[in-house]
Amino acid sequence: MQEPTSPGLLQDCTFSLVMPAIILVRPTLLRRVAVYNRLFHPLASFPGPLSHGISVIPRTAYQVSGRLAFHVTDLHTKYGAVVRISPNELAFCEPQAWKDIYGYRQQGQEEFQKYNGFYRPMKRKSPASIMSAPRHDHALLRRQLSHGFSDRSMRDQEPIIGSYVDLLLNRLRQHGGDGVNALNMREWLNWTTFDIIGDLGLGSPFGCLYNSEYHPWGRSITRTVNVGSYIQAVYELGGIQLVTWIVDSGIWGSRSEHKRQVNEKLAQRIQLDTERPDLIEGLLKKQTDLPFDQISAAAATLIVAGSETTATLLSGALFLLAKNRECLAVLTREVRSTFQRDDEITLSSVGCLSYMLACLNECLRMYPPVAIGLPRVVPKGGAAVAGRFVPEGTVVSVWQWAINHDERFWANPWEFHPERFLDNDPRYQGDLLDAMQPFSTGPRNCIGKNLAYAEMRLILAKIIFNFDIHLADDSEDWIDRQDVYFLWEKPALHVHLTPVSR
């Protein structure tokens, strides 16, 4: 949510402590481990680079460089639909793998549990959130949160969401939406989604749009999440005790600040002592069954997932549409012919914009907010994934960037063509749409999918109804300049907005 920044002190300390430990390991032991991993490990028969099969270090190096998602895509191109990317980890690039890894299991079959090295490397230090909780706890959390994401709640939430979108438009007009001065839309979209999720998730906004600047907490969120990529790297290198020390020492300052802000906001929400149509109400009704820390962890997940990912997709949508002027023209005609006045554009009415939905889906394919793989662990006894038997304990995942750009499933996969989602263009009749799962699938798919679509449609429709958009010269290669960790490191997105005369 800000200019790309390095994790700084934490990164420096992490690698100054870990790398000497790796170097000092006895060469004989390293050779023995390498020989075992290459020849005798249960995954020895799976294809992949020799270096990745014998050591976790190559994978870790790509991860901390922000290039792992792109590297895995290259590996699939070279080695096929399943690739061994570290001694005990496989990446899959098959639509069936979504169902086998993340989908519903038959009765009596154990589900693929989430891999703690990714979701909870600090298990002893962090309560389980809805993303990382074991199956039973997850079911309880999801059940209590589901009411806040229901159709009825969304209708009740419309005035809240709409007020922030209208405030966004006013601020854009006031701060240079004149077609001459370019606006950094990355900032404005982040501020909008952060204010919306603050109100819906914790009962009060953060004042980003009102003040036209970040709330101090907002500046730390992306850094907090992306530093988790370095924490995972330390975990994978065997530094579990170092991970614990990092948390205990307070060196990971952004995480501590994030947790403090969530607890403070949550306490304020509880003190309201009144029902309101927000996302957290269902959890607050279960305070006797759920400890404060677990409710806080769920709220923190909502804040990150409900702000950064939505703003990322909207930023990508503005960029891709501005780069593909013919598609933008079709969408503009759809929006401006459907609505005559701005107040006609609502969460409900934008549901009729079929071409807009196709554009958003194509943006999700080309620029998924979560481009990496979400790892699971194969249950006891092993299981079949995409037609291949995988031994128990193996870490497996589908990498979204890779499968979304695979020419086996998509015609012209590196080109922007919303028509592939409209089922009326013979050029794309062979596309396998279920290869794309931007909200995951199965019992632990994203609970906020419908809200995210409605929010994205409303914001994009309002912008296109009111403004003509053009990229500034310095943003012509916006996506190409990005690295991705858990989230994208988005540079400024400068866009010229010219008010539409009516």
Side-chain angles (χ1 to χ4, degrees):
M1 298 173 68
Q2 64 271 343
E3 293 290 349
T5 56
S6 72
L9 178 61
L10 176 58
Q11 176 187 351
D12 295 340
C13 290
T14 297
F15 285 95
S16 64
L17 289 168
V18 173
M19 296 313 294
I22 295 173
I23 295 171
L24 290 174
V25 174
R26 291 195 312 176
T28 301
L29 177 59
L30 288 177
R31 285 196 295 270
R32 289 176 179 172
V33 171
V35 170
Y36 170 79
N37 286 339
R38 176 67 182 90
L39 299 177
F40 305 108
H41 192 282
L43 302 185
S45 63
F46 286 88
L50 174 62
S51 60
H52 292 51
I54 65 176
S55 173
V56 73
I57 293 176
R59 181 202 189 281
T60 301
Y62 278 104
Q63 178 176 323
V64 299
S65 72
R67 310 303 294 176
L68 183 56
F70 314 125
H71 177 60
V72 171
T73 302
D74 293 338
L75 293 181
H76 279 303
T77 301
K78 182 175 181 179
Y79 292 98
V82 55
V83 181
R84 188 184 185 192
I85 62 174
S86 76
N88 196 48
E89 182 175 4
L90 298 176
F92 284 85
C93 193
E94 286 285 354
Q96 182 61 38
W98 284 115
K99 302 174 184 178
D100 294 336
I101 297 173
Y102 306 96
Y104 291 90
R105 304 285 284 168
Q106 295 181 4
Q107 186 173 5
Q109 291 183 331
E110 184 181 349
E111 72 175 19
F112 287 50
Q113 297 294 330
K114 294 195 169 184
Y115 175 52
N116 280 334
F118 177 87
Y119 288 96
R120 295 183 71 192
M122 301 159 294
K123 185 176 180 180
R124 184 172 62 86
K125 294 291 181 179
S126 58
S129 70
I130 190 171
M131 286 186 65
S132 61
R135 182 174 183 175
H136 173 75
D137 293 344
H138 170 266
L140 174 61
L141 289 169
R142 189 172 181 115
R143 190 161 53 248
Q144 294 308 122
L145 284 170
S146 61
H147 173 72
F149 291 94
S150 66
D151 290 339
R152 177 181 176 180
S153 290
M154 196 178 302
R155 290 192 295 271
D156 293 339
Q157 293 158 3
E158 183 163 350
I160 297 175
I161 298 172
S163 67
Y164 291 111
V165 179
D166 289 340
L167 180 56
L168 165 66
L169 295 176
N170 290 334
R171 287 292 186 257
L172 292 177
R173 295 186 185 102
Q174 294 168 4
H175 286 78
D178 54 9
V180 178
N181 300 305
L183 293 171
N184 183 358
M185 291 304 295
R186 179 200 63 184
E187 308 284 52
W188 288 102
L189 293 170
N190 272 320
W191 294 340
T192 304
T193 58
F194 197 50
D195 273 354
I196 290 173
I197 200 62
D199 203 324
L200 292 182
L202 291 172
S204 61
F206 295 99
C208 299
L209 284 171
Y210 184 81
N211 297 312
S212 301
E213 64 179 11
Y214 281 108
H215 184 279
W217 183 15
R219 290 191 178 277
S220 70
I221 283 186
T222 301
R223 183 179 299 180
T224 300
V225 175
N226 281 345
V227 165
S229 185
Y230 290 86
I231 296 297
Q232 185 196 359
V234 176
Y235 181 96
E236 297 295 344
L237 292 170
I240 299 176
Q241 292 181 338
L242 177 58
V243 169
T244 302
W245 175 82
I246 288 172
V247 177
D248 289 343
S249 69
I251 192 174
W252 191 356
S254 58
R255 178 181 183 272
S256 301
E257 177 63 13
H258 178 60
K259 184 176 181 180
R260 185 190 71 78
Q261 291 277 6
V262 173
N263 290 343
E264 182 180 296
K265 280 281 189 179
L266 180 59
Q268 293 173 359
R269 170 65 183 87
I270 292 173
Q271 290 173 5
L272 290 177
D273 196 28
T274 182
E275 289 192 12
R276 65 192 305 272
D278 59 25
L279 307 179
I280 206 74
E281 176 67 25
L283 285 180
L284 297 183
K285 291 180 178 179
K286 279 287 184 178
Q287 290 183 66
T288 56
D289 299 325
L290 295 171
F292 181 88
D293 281 353
Q294 195 161 24
I295 297 177
S296 177
T301 300
L302 291 179
I303 295 300
V304 176
S307 61
E308 178 64 26
T309 54
T310 303
T312 294
L313 193 280
L314 284 169
S315 296
L318 283 184
F319 171 79
L320 289 166
L321 286 166
K323 290 285 288 185
N324 295 271
R325 306 299 301 181
E326 292 183 2
C327 298
L328 177 59
V330 174
L331 178 58
T332 301
R333 285 196 297 271
E334 179 183 61
V335 172
R336 296 179 186 175
S337 64
T338 302
F339 305 110
Q340 304 305 311
R341 301 189 315 275
D342 185 87
D343 60 8
E344 295 176 355
I345 306 175
T346 66
L347 281 180
S348 301
S349 65
V350 292
C352 68
L353 301 174
S354 58
Y355 192 74
M356 172 171 284
L357 178 58
C359 288
L360 288 173
N361 281 331
E362 182 68 340
C363 292
L364 284 166
R365 186 190 69 81
M366 291 200 69
Y367 183 64
V370 180
I372 61 175
L374 301 177
R376 300 289 184 90
V377 180
V378 177
K380 186 176 181 180
V385 178
R388 295 287 300 270
F389 177 80
V390 182
E392 65 180 71
T394 303
V395 178
V396 293
S397 59
V398 180
W399 287 70
Q400 293 204 42
W401 183 265
I403 200 167
N404 288 2
H405 294 88
D406 194 313
E407 62 183 9
R408 292 177 299 151
F409 313 128
W410 312 97
N412 305 314
W414 298 98
E415 297 177 6
F416 185 79
H417 296 289
E419 294 77 16
R420 68 176 85 244
F421 290 98
L422 292 175
D423 197 31
N424 60 4
D425 192 320
R427 293 175 298 172
Y428 307 106
Q429 292 298 309
D431 284 7
L432 298 181
L433 302 187
D434 62 350
M436 188 185 83
Q437 299 292 341
F439 298 92
S440 193
T441 188
R444 303 187 73 146
N445 69 339
C446 178
I447 192 174
K449 175 181 177 179
N450 292 335
L451 176 62
Y453 267 118
E455 190 177 333
M456 291 185 297
R457 281 169 156 174
L458 178 63
I459 293 173
L460 187 57
K462 288 264 191 176
I463 290 175
I464 289 178
F465 184 82
N466 287 280
F467 299 99
D468 293 325
I469 64 175
H470 291 84
L471 281 177
D473 291 342
D474 65 356
S475 294
E476 286 288 337
D477 59 348
W478 185 70
I479 289 180
D480 293 339
R481 291 187 283 124
Q482 297 182 43
D483 294 324
V484 59
Y485 298 91
F486 289 163
L487 302 173
W488 291 92
E489 288 280 10
K490 305 191 299 291
L493 176 62
H494 291 126
V495 179
H496 294 280
L497 299 179
T498 304
V500 176
S501 298
R502 291 188 173 87

